[in-house]
């Protein structure tokens, strides 16, 4: 398999952590890709111009992180990152959606500042994204305090770990841990996992 | 079940088409939700402030359209819109991701040209999103003969994406260079599930 990646994308990190947790890391060849470079050839593999994109051994291109993780989960015999059925499946996918939504809002904030001319930035947009992140973190704090993040590693907790890591990378000034002690304690432990340690984004 | 919806969201349309195709439409109570209204009570059901959001009979809240559609699929008897395993599954999920990527770009373009204060709009952003949409449509044109197999979430997502382009960006004329995709959509759009869910501006 071939993985198009960038070193800072939280969606790529999710895939990388999932590959490590499922023992598939050694089967993945990595191709660093800068989607913001005007000369990029990413569209040859992913017309949407995004990383991660996984080219399978059969030549199929999977171009979003949930599908890539679902695919990786089908290739190993260990405990599933997403339970195949039952209430557990929806709980995991729901946590994934919430954490992925934090990534989406955080990336939207980064893009607003990095990709646009300075005089075209819109504070209202930044505030809207920041509000979403704050509300999602509050919901996760309640869940963490109730023990809802404990248990075996899943695609949900992996995505949450990568989302919080991305907030530390890009928005450490937001101080997301303030007022969210249970979530902070959960992340403190989760980020010690070898899969998380091996994928810390370059600062 | 309770579905938070808006009449223009293409992601909501995916859920509605899925529900109708599965014969589950009658089990879903609809709650109109304006996500742009600061006074909306929607944050209680979805901290990310997005529609669709589904509240299941068990009280579980599901937030994004792929998860909601797969959940509905798990409730229905008969042929699966999400094939359980193998090449068919990846084909369907890959196609859904491509179509959802078109929608993501189309929504960003719509927000830029309709919701952002006029002085802060930036052509570069519109061009970037339009380029992604065009390349993804070209990819779908190349694989258009594969769209005629058994119905999956992939074709539903493609149908809703094309319908949204007609709704918001008819002036693009996406059919002009994509005759096979246009011919497929012409047939697909006649399905009762598509006819009953044509997007419209709220009254």
């Amino acid at each position: 398999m071939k993985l198009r990646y960038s070193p800072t994308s939280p969606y790529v990190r999710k895939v990388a952590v999932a590959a490590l947790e499922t023992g598939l890391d050694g089967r993945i060849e990595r191709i660093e890709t800068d989607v913001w470079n005007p000369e990029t050839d990413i569209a040859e593999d992913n017309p949407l111009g995004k990383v991660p994109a996984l080219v399978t051994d059969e030549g199929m291109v999977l171009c979003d992180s949930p599908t890539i993780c679902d695919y990786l989960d089908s290739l190993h015999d260990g405990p599933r990152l997403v339970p195949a059925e039952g209430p557990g499946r929806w709980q995991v996918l729901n946590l994934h959606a919430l954490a992925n939504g934090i990534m989406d809002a955080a990336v939207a904030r980064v893009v607003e500042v990095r990709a646009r001319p300075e005089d075209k930035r819109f504070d209202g947009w930044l505030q809207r994204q920041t509000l979403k992140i704050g509300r999602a973190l509050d919901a996760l704090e309640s869940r963490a305090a109730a023990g809802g993040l404990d248990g075996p590693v899943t695609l949900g907790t992996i995505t949450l770990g990568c989302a919080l890591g991305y907030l530390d990378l890009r928005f450490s000034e937001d101080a997301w841990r303030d007022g969210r002690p249970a979530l902070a304690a959960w992340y403190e432990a989760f980020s010690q996992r070898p899969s998380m340690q091996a994928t810390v984004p370059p600062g | 079940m309770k579905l938070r919806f808006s009449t223009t969201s293409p992601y909501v349309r995916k859920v509605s088409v899925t529900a109708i195709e599965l014969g589950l439409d009658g089990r879903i109570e609809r709650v109109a939700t304006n996500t742009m209204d600061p006074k909306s009570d929607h944050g209680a059901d979805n901290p990310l402030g997005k529609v669709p959001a589904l509240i299941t009979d068990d009280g579980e809240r599901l937030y994004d359209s792929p998860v909601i559609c797969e959940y509905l699929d798990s409730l229905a008897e008969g042929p699966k819109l999400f094939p359980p395993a193998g090449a068919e599954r990846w084909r369907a999920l890959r196609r859904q991701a491509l179509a959802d990527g078109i929608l993501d770009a189309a929504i960003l373009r719509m927000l830029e040209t309709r919701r952002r204060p006029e002085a802060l709009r930036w052509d570069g952003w519109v061009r970037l999103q339009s380029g992604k949409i065009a390349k993804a449509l070209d990819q779908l044109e190349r694989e258009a003969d594969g769209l005629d197999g058994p119905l999956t979430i992939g074709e539903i997502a493609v149908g809703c994406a094309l319908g949204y382009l007609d709704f918001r960006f008819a002036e693009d004329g996406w059919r002009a260079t994509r005759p096979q995709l246009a011919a497929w959509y012409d047939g697909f759009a006649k399905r009762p599930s598509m006819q009953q869910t044509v997007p419209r501006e709220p009254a």
Side-chain angles (χ1 to χ4, degrees):
Chain A
M1 295 177 279
K2 253 177 20 183
L3 179 69
R4 295 274 208 159
Y5 81 100
S6 86
T8 54
S9 160
Y11 309 101
V12 167
R13 189 181 187 192
K14 184 207 299 186
V15 170
V17 173
L20 286 164
E21 293 286 352
T22 53
L24 293 165
D25 192 51
R27 287 172 57 185
I28 299 175
E29 177 195 344
R30 278 152 210 272
I31 302 168
E32 185 163 350
T33 303
D34 175 7
V35 298
W36 295 100
N37 181 335
E39 313 275 291
T40 181
D41 60 352
I42 181 67
E44 288 170 20
D45 282 330
N46 182 356
L48 298 167
K50 296 188 298 190
V51 289
L54 185 82
V55 186
T56 70
D57 291 339
E58 295 79 32
M60 185 167 55
V61 184
L62 301 175
C63 57
D64 73 332
S65 65
T67 306
I68 294 171
C69 291
D70 197 30
Y71 177 74
L72 293 179
D73 213 17
S74 77
L75 298 181
H76 68 97
D77 298 324
R80 301 260 314 201
L81 295 179
V82 182
E85 55 190 12
R89 179 169 182 84
W90 312 116
Q91 283 154 13
V92 167
L93 290 179
N94 206 28
L95 179 58
H96 169 269
L98 198 53
N100 214 63
I102 293 176
M103 287 183 186
D104 292 344
V107 168
R109 269 173 76 181
V110 169
V111 168
E112 181 76 15
V113 174
R114 294 204 164 184
R116 298 176 75 93
E118 204 168 341
D119 63 344
K120 300 293 184 190
R121 292 176 197 162
F122 177 30
D123 277 346
W125 176 252
L126 293 173
Q127 283 156 15
R128 192 171 156 79
Q129 305 311 322
T130 305
L131 183 71
K132 286 184 189 206
I133 294 169
R135 276 202 310 234
L137 289 172
D138 289 343
L140 289 160
E141 170 68 12
S142 307
R143 197 178 296 204
L149 300 178
D150 301 339
V153 64
T154 68
L155 183 62
T157 50
I158 288 173
T159 306
L160 178 55
C162 295
L164 296 174
Y166 191 70
L167 293 181
D168 281 346
L169 175 72
R170 295 290 192 215
F171 303 107
S172 57
E173 73 279 11
D174 282 11
W176 64 264
R177 290 169 180 81
D178 289 359
R180 302 184 185 103
L183 189 60
W186 174 83
Y187 179 66
E188 181 63 25
F190 191 83
S191 60
Q192 301 304 318
R193 295 183 77 87
S195 62
M196 291 293 286
Q197 292 285 325
T199 56
V200 173
Chain B
M1 293 178 282
K2 218 174 68 174
L3 178 70
R4 294 277 200 166
F5 81 101
S6 82
T7 55
T8 56
S9 161
Y11 308 102
V12 168
R13 191 181 188 192
K14 275 176 66 190
V15 171
S16 298
V17 170
T18 296
I20 293 169
E21 293 287 350
L22 293 170
L24 294 170
D25 198 42
R27 287 171 56 185
I28 298 176
E29 178 197 342
R30 279 156 202 275
V31 184
T33 302
N34 177 2
T35 59
M36 303 304 272
D37 177 0
K39 291 195 288 290
S40 167
D41 62 347
H42 184 39
D45 281 332
N46 182 354
L48 299 168
K50 295 188 298 191
V51 289
L54 185 82
I55 298 95
T56 71
D57 291 339
D58 305 325
E60 193 80 42
R61 288 163 168 74
L62 301 178
Y63 303 135
D64 67 352
S65 67
V67 179
I68 296 172
C69 291
E70 192 178 338
Y71 175 76
L72 293 177
D73 199 34
S74 79
L75 299 180
E77 306 289 331
K80 290 291 174 195
L81 297 177
F82 289 74
E88 284 146 25
R89 179 172 180 84
W90 313 120
R91 206 158 34 232
L93 292 184
R94 175 188 164 280
R95 197 164 275 156
Q96 170 177 237
L98 198 55
D100 283 357
I102 291 174
L103 285 179
D104 294 344
I107 295 280
L108 286 174
R109 192 174 148 194
M110 182 277 291
L111 291 172
E112 185 77 18
T113 52
R114 287 177 168 242
R115 300 282 165 82
R116 187 173 281 259
E118 219 164 321
L120 302 181
R121 293 175 192 172
W122 179 43
D123 275 350
W125 187 248
V126 172
R127 280 197 303 272
L128 180 66
Q129 303 311 326
S130 301
K132 288 179 191 241
I133 295 168
K135 286 192 188 111
L137 289 171
D138 289 344
Q139 178 65 37
L140 288 170
E141 173 70 8
R142 285 191 288 275
E143 49 191 79
D145 52 357
L147 293 168
D148 282 322
L151 182 69
T152 73
I153 192 60
E155 293 73 55
I156 290 174
V158 171
C160 292
L162 297 175
Y164 190 72
L165 294 180
D166 281 347
F167 179 54
R168 291 295 192 205
F169 303 109
E171 71 280 9
D172 283 9
W174 65 264
R175 290 170 180 78
T177 54
R178 301 172 188 107
Q180 299 202 67
L181 189 59
W184 172 81
Y185 181 65
D186 200 44
F188 190 81
K190 295 195 170 71
R191 295 180 83 91
S193 61
M194 289 292 286
Q195 292 284 322
Q196 288 165 39
T197 56
V198 173
R200 58 188 162 80
E201 295 290 358

